[in-house]
Structure formats: structure tokens, C-alpha cells
Amino acid sequence: ERNGYNIGNRLNYRHAFGKKGRSVSLGFNSTVNRNNADIINQGTFRFFNGLAARDSVQNQLNDNFNNSNNTELNLSYTEPITKKILFEVNYEPSFQKSNADQKTYSFENGKYSDLQTPLSNVFTNNTNTQSGGASIRFNLNKETNFAVGANVQNVELNSDRTFPTNTTVRQSFSNILPNAFLRAETGKYSNVRVFFRGFTSLPSVTQLQNVVNITDPLRVSVGNANLKQSVGTFLGSRYSYANKKTNQSLFAGFFYQGAK
């Protein structure tokens, strides 16, 4: 039995100055996620040691509760260098707090009341991300424009286990993430776009939570509080053709993503 909800909001403000191309924008995003699950495992197992066999009965309740709160701010400023060149700087801080509470109880005296400490864990994860960068955009003509840039990112990952014992893991990651974009018209009704960016991905709180999970006895898993972030690249291209006079359209794309 599982229930939960996701709530998100996005606020954006943009102001254009008197000089064409000069602008400032401010964005605020926040999300709240809640997930609660009660999982009952009932099964009979037979373990073999040579010719000897031993039967074991499992009847357990796994009470899992996960929640996360994420807040993100986006500030950017654009300044025209020439009529065809635009410079942009941005700053994007974000903060996320996640909690994972897993309690496992065995069936005793007519109810699930015997707490199994080795299979229980309370874990909190806080992530503080500071990201800022710059890009430059070239509007060569009406048919072609492209942009190149890079962001510098620093992430502080703090993980705390408060049950059954207290442990703390502190990690810090720094990366330079490039990005590029190209748009070119290939005909009166068609254009092609190519985009490239570097990205990072942090492990989720359930991947970091170092507790044995036996909700699926055939695929027992355990988290690792020392997991690192993954760093990858994304490359994509899209071709589009749309002729309103003949009601003909064609869209094609190629996308590649790799991470380690």
C-alpha cells in the first residue's frame, strides 16, 4: 500500500531595459515530495547446507517514509556587446533536504510489533548547490545563430544516519560544465537545431541510505552513503519542416546521453 503527493511551483520575473538586448530575469522554483509505503512480506524459505535443509518463515512489515523539499533560484543578466553579439551571466543556487525512514517489524503476538534493528534506518541528506556561469550568443543573420558558454558548479552533499547508530558523511564536488547551441534555417520551411551540455546527477536519498532492503527477497539491496555524483554529457539535434500552405510537416531528432 503506497500513497504520496508531489507539489511544485514556478515563479518568473523578467525586465527589459531601454537598451535593446539588455535584460534581467529572476526565477524561483520549489517542489515538495512525500511518499509513504507499507509493504508486508510473507513467505516460507528452505535453506540447504549440503544435504541438510532448514525451513524458515518470514512475516514482516516494512514501513517506509520518504520526503524531500527542493528550492532553486535562477538569476540571469544579458548585455548586448554589438548588434549581433549578446553576453549573458547567470547564477543558480539550490538547496534540497531529503529524509528516508525505513522501519521493519516482525509479526509477534498477533501484530507487527518486533522492531528489526538491522533492517531499520533513519537517514537525512542535505544538498547545497552553487552554480554560476556565462555564455555568449552570436546572431550571425536571420537564418543562423549560435551560443557557447560554461558553468562552474560546486555541490556540498551532507548525509546523516540517526538510527540505529549515528554516522556522518560529508562530500564536496566541483565541476566545469560546458554548453553550446546552434540554430540554422536550412530552407524556407525548415531548420535544424544542435545542442550540447554537460550535466551532473546526484544519488537519491534511498540510494545513499545504508540499510538492507528485503522487500523483494530475490533482489536484496543496500544503499551506500559514500556514493559519488555522476558526470555526463548530452548531445542532441532536431530537424523540423513545416509547410502551412501544403499542411506537410516532418520532425526528426537524434539524442545521445552518457555519464559515469
Side-chain angles (χ1 to χ4, degrees):
E1 181 179 356
R2 186 182 301 274
N3 62 80
Y5 61 86
N6 303 315
I7 299 176
N9 66 78
R10 181 187 298 270
L11 299 174
N12 292 289
Y13 170 80
R14 184 178 185 274
H15 174 74
F17 296 93
K19 186 177 182 179
K20 185 178 180 180
R22 179 181 294 171
S23 68
V24 63
S25 63
L26 177 66
F28 174 79
N29 305 324
S30 67
T31 58
V32 177
N33 303 309
R34 297 287 185 275
N35 189 293
N36 186 56
D38 290 327
I39 303 170
I40 294 177
N41 290 325
Q42 295 176 328
T44 301
F45 301 90
R46 174 163 292 178
F47 299 94
F48 292 90
N49 183 7
L51 297 178
R54 177 176 59 86
D55 291 337
S56 175
V57 177
Q58 176 179 296
N59 190 358
Q60 294 179 331
L61 167 68
N62 296 92
D63 186 3
N64 296 333
F65 174 74
N66 299 314
N67 72 81
S68 65
N69 300 280
N70 184 68
T71 302
E72 180 180 344
L73 187 69
N74 186 304
L75 177 64
S76 66
Y77 174 80
T78 62
E79 177 68 25
I81 305 301
T82 67
K83 291 183 177 181
K84 294 185 177 182
I85 301 177
L86 188 70
F87 181 73
E88 179 181 359
V89 292
N90 66 82
Y91 173 56
E92 301 178 10
S94 66
F95 178 77
Q96 182 180 56
K97 182 176 182 179
S98 303
N99 300 290
D101 187 336
Q102 175 179 306
K103 299 291 178 57
T104 301
Y105 300 90
S106 292
F107 192 78
E108 297 288 343
N109 301 320
K111 59 182 179 179
Y112 295 99
S113 57
D114 186 16
L115 178 65
Q116 300 297 300
T117 301
L119 303 177
S120 301
N121 187 285
V122 178
F123 194 87
T124 300
N125 182 60
N126 294 321
T127 305
N128 187 349
T129 303
Q130 301 292 324
S131 178
S135 64
I136 187 167
R137 187 186 310 165
F138 300 88
N139 297 312
L140 300 183
N141 47 53
K142 293 182 178 180
E143 292 77 25
T144 306
N145 61 78
F146 71 95
V148 293
N151 275 34
V152 178
Q153 184 187 80
N154 178 262
V155 179
E156 297 289 339
L157 183 62
N158 301 320
S159 304
D160 296 286
R161 184 180 69 187
T162 58
F163 183 85
T165 58
N166 294 328
T167 60
T168 299
V169 177
R170 299 285 183 262
Q171 299 188 81
S172 178
F173 310 103
S174 296
N175 296 278
I176 298 178
L177 306 174
N179 60 80
F181 173 80
L182 169 67
R183 182 186 183 277
E185 293 189 9
T186 55
K188 186 177 180 179
Y189 305 107
S190 62
N191 66 76
V192 62
R193 299 184 182 186
V194 180
F195 33 92
F196 168 84
R197 64 180 177 88
F199 68 91
T200 61
S201 179
L202 291 169
S204 66
V205 64
T206 53
Q207 292 173 324
L208 293 168
Q209 187 181 23
N210 47 355
V211 60
V212 177
N213 187 330
I214 60 170
T215 54
D216 184 349
L218 299 181
R219 291 194 306 172
V220 177
S221 63
V222 60
N224 180 4
N226 293 300
L227 283 178
K228 309 296 183 183
Q229 69 169 2
S230 62
V231 181
T233 56
F234 177 82
L235 174 65
S237 63
R238 180 180 295 136
Y239 171 83
S240 62
Y241 172 87
N243 188 334
K244 295 181 179 179
K245 294 182 179 180
T246 60
N247 289 326
Q248 292 179 327
S249 62
L250 172 66
F251 301 94
F254 169 80
F255 305 95
Y256 166 81
Q257 179 172 303
K260 63 178 181 178

